[in-house]
């Protein structure tokens, strides 16, 4: 009887803490969303930074050609999110191009080919990378990597999307590696045995049996890595030059959405259009990473179903 | 002593009588021993598996049946710390010779596992897997290969319109048939089956047994089973193993009705109740 009571108390505590986490999340979203909503509701804000100003090209004065510009503190404030979105995508793309092949390659090597002693070295060391504070990675990219990359590639700008992307990639690798490696090792040994027993090589087995079996998990790893790259702030802020230039070139500096919030929210006038635009950017990031994580989760579920065969 | 004498006489008589009609064994081991680390899982195993027959391996759990089966296509190589002594021949080839081509060996001697393990890809791709990795066929050829081997296991009529559904959505029996089709498609000579029916219900089991009968015309089959009725029904030779030893090996009829070794006798009668 007593055991019953303790059990239900513990259960209640667990329920409460779980609900608190969800409630907290919802509250954060409501708070950010409420501040962002002014963009739609307040006529004063809308005039200066309405949705069309945020997303469509705009000419600041009659006669001046239309442009995409983010200059929130100039005499005529410009709030186009386009340069920021381009910057974010640019640096994310470089980060993923750098991180995904390395992380997935390492995961495949570790789960399929490495002898177990080597595996026991690879896995913790890559996961250790996740423990490095972003500010340290950012500092490293700013002071060391930037010069090295500039010299190696002969670039005009020291801080640019390549530098920031690689630094960001270093932060993305551990998360992609961990999730992908787990997905690969979750593939039952019986599939590998079945393949080897048909005379397949380890390569054929890895490529044609294990990878397809782990595909949802690998995809989830990539999605989560993408989410991490989009949301990461400090590394990009420090290593990208942080200039809101409208350019698709990876050799140019850039400014990302998240770095914009970090750099500007401290000085912005409370309640100004600029303030609400920053919250709007926050909401966008929130929704975006939320959806990405959701997709990632769904795919992990699918992996489980697929491996247990419960899905037709 | 007397018993031993009878035994060797019987063996002698057997070998003299069958000299002409018994073809060379498909698989033969000579003084085989196998160690997992320091644990000796097989000792002094001398077995001769006749070609194009079904040979059953029986014995209590943990006696080394699976281990012996996995010796025949060197699946034990995948386990760390496995050592082997003695010799194993497939036809005339010493398969533990250092120059052995493992891929070619496993193509000749394939395996069906206790739990059906079709790959989590489509039915078609499962059967096409072997031929395509071995470069045996491609394109349209593959289609006819898949059809032929699905027919061989009686799956074709049920699945011909559903070749691209995931293999894991099939019933356990169909999955095991598919695994057999997948194996047949690499054109092996030997089918090594480790309790292939243990995950199936009795009706499915009976149908798989019928299939085995069909297959033995073309293949040498070694089947491990816990089910002695099954061993008695399907096999023509049978071996009884105990604690890593092959206690007795002979014609199934004889092994089950008139075993020479008292341990075989105990096991069989114990099981039959
Ligand atoms: N990978 C391994 N490492 C160490 N010991 C093992 C390993 N695989 C099997 N063994 C041991 O070797 C012995 C024989 O195992 P094996 O699986 O061949 O038995 P079995 O006759 O197939 O049993 P069952 O009827 O339960 O399948 C057992 O004692 C088992 O514990
Ligand atoms: Mg076994």
């Amino acid at each position: 009887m007593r055991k019953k009571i303790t059990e239900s108390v513990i259960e209640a505590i667990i329920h409460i803490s779980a609900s608190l986490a969800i409630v907290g999340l919802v509250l954060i979203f409501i708070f950010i969303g409420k501040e962002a909503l002014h963009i739609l509701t307040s006529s004063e804000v809308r005039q200066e930074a309405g949705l069309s100003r945020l997303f469509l090209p705009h000419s600041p004065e009659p006669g001046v050609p239309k442009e995409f510009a983010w200059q929130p503190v100039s005499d005529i404030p410009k709030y186009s999110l386009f340069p920021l979105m381009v910057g974010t995508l640019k640096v994310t793309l470089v980060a993923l191009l750098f991180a995904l092949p390395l992380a997935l390659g390492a995961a495949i090597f570790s789960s399929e080919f490495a002898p177990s002693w080597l595996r026991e070295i690879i896995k913790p060391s890559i996961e250790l990378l996740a423990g490095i504070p972003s500010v340290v990675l950012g500092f490293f990219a700013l002071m060391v990597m930037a010069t090295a990359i500039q010299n190696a590639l002969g670039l005009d700008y020291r801080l640019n999307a390549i530098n920031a992307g690689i630094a960001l990639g270093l932060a993305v690798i551990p998360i992609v590696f961990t999730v992908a490696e787990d997905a690969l090792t979750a593939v039952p040994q019986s599939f590998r045995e079945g393949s080897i027993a048909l005379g397949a090589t380890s390569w054929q087995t890895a490529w044609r049996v294990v990878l397809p079996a782990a595909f949802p998990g690998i995809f989830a790893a990539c999605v989560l890595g993408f989410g991490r790259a989009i949301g990461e702030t400090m590394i990009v802020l420090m290593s990208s030059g942080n200039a809101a230039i409208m350019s698709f070139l990876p050799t140019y500096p850039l400014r990302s959405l998240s770095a914009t919030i970090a750099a500007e929210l401290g000085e912005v006038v409370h309640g100004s259009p600029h303030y609400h635009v920053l919250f709007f950017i926050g909401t966008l990031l929130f929704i975006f990473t939320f959806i990405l994580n959701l997709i990632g989760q769904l795919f992990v579920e699918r992996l489980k179903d697929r491996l247990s065969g419960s899905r037709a | 002593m007397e018993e031993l004498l009878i035994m060797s006489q019987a063996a002698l008589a057997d070998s003299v009588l069958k000299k002409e009609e018994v073809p060379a064994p498909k698989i033969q081991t000579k003084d085989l021993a196998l160690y997992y680390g320091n644990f000796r899982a097989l000792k002094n195993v001398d077995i001769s598996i006749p070609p194009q027959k079904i040979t059953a391996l029986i014995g209590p759990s943990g006696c080394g049946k699976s281990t012996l089966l996995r010796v025949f296509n060197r699946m034990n190589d995948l386990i760390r710390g496995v050592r082997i002594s003695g010799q194993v021949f497939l036809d005339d080839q010493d398969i533990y010779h250092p120059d052995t081509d493992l891929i070619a060996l496993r193509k000749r001697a394939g395996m069906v596992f206790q739990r059906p393990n079709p790959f989590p890809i489509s039915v078609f791709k499962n059967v096409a897997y072997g031929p395509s990795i071995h470069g045996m066929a491609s394109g349209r050829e593959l289609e006819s290969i898949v059809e032929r081997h699905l027919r061989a296991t009686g799956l074709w009529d049920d699945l011909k319109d559903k070749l691209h559904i995931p293999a894991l959505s099939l019933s356990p029996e169909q999955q095991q048939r598919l695994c057999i089709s997948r194996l047949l498609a690499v054109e092996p000579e030997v089918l090594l089956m480790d309790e292939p029916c243990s995950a199936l219900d009795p009706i499915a089991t009976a149908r798989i047994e019928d299939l085995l009968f069909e297959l033995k015309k073309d293949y040498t089959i070694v089947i491990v089973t816990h089910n002695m009725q099954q061993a008695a029904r399907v096999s023509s030779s049978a071996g009884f193993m105990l604690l890593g030893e092959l206690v007795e090996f002979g014609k199934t009829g004889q092994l089950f009705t008139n075993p020479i070794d008292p341990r075989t006798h105990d096991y069989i009668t114990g099981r039959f109740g």
Side-chain angles (χ1 to χ4, degrees), chain B residues 36 39 41 59-68 79 114 195 226:
Chain B
Y36 290 114
F39 173 69
S61 207
C63 66
K65 306 180 294 292
S66 300
T67 302
L68 180 58
I79 300 168
Q114 187 166 357
E195 303 185 41
H226 264 132

Side-chain angles (χ1 to χ4, degrees), chain A residues 116 190-191 193-201 204-205 208-209 213 306 309 312, chain B residues 70 75 80 103 106 110 113 117-120 129 132-134 166 168-169 182-183:
Chain A
S116 58
S190 63
F191 290 160
E193 288 201 332
S195 172
I196 297 288
L198 289 170
T201 63
Q204 289 166 330
T205 304
R208 305 191 44 167
V209 176
R306 188 195 281 222
Chain B
R70 292 163 62 95
M75 284 301 280
R80 282 205 326 142
I103 289 171
R106 291 179 184 141
F113 296 82
N117 61 348
F119 304 136
Y129 182 75
S132 69
I133 58 171
H134 291 297
L168 290 177
S169 64
R182 179 178 76 183
L183 174 54

Side-chain angles (χ1 to χ4, degrees), chain B residues 134-148:
Chain B
H134 291 297
M136 295 158 69
S138 60
R140 292 219 71 98
E141 265 177 298
L142 272 180
E143 285 171 30
S144 68
I145 288 182
V146 169
E147 173 174 348
R148 181 148 44 100

